[in-house]
Amino acid sequence: MNLSELKKGQAGRVVKLSAVPQLRRRLLDMGVLVGEMIRVVGVAPLGDPVEVTVKNYKLSLRKKEVEGVIVEEVS
């Protein structure tokens, strides 16, 4: 599943980054790495942006960006 499918409060472990090279590099620079835990903190009313927590800091990502992050859900 991709990160955009997680609901507010759900967490997942990053399995793969399937984004264009420039976006992939940007996500890696922000700490979204394979194996990292990522939790959805909030979603804007229209679904864009999505606020997530990764490595103990909050990050707001566009819907297009979170669709390229493949995660496995963790309870």
Side-chain angles (χ1 to χ4, degrees), residues 17-27 64 68:
L17 294 176
S18 63
V20 295
Q22 296 160 336
L23 179 56
R24 178 177 160 72
R25 178 80 253 162
R26 184 168 175 247
L27 290 168
K64 158 180 110 167

Side-chain angles (χ1 to χ4, degrees), residues 59-71:
L59 181 63
S60 289
L61 299 170
R62 295 181 185 135
K63 190 171 184 177
K64 158 180 110 167
E65 296 168 339
V66 296
E67 288 173 348
V69 180
I70 309 301
V71 297

Side-chain angles (χ1 to χ4, degrees), residues 10-13 37 72-75:
Q10 290 183 308
R13 184 174 311 280
M37 291 294 297
E72 61 182 3
E73 188 178 353
V74 178
S75 25

Side-chain angles (χ1 to χ4, degrees), residues 22-53:
Q22 296 160 336
L23 179 56
R24 178 177 160 72
R25 178 80 253 162
R26 184 168 175 247
L27 290 168
L28 291 170
D29 289 343
M30 291 186 286
V32 182
L33 306 169
V34 173
E36 284 294 327
M37 291 294 297
I38 192 165
R39 178 176 303 279
V40 176
V41 176
V43 181
L46 296 176
D48 192 16
V50 177
E51 184 179 10
V52 298
T53 301

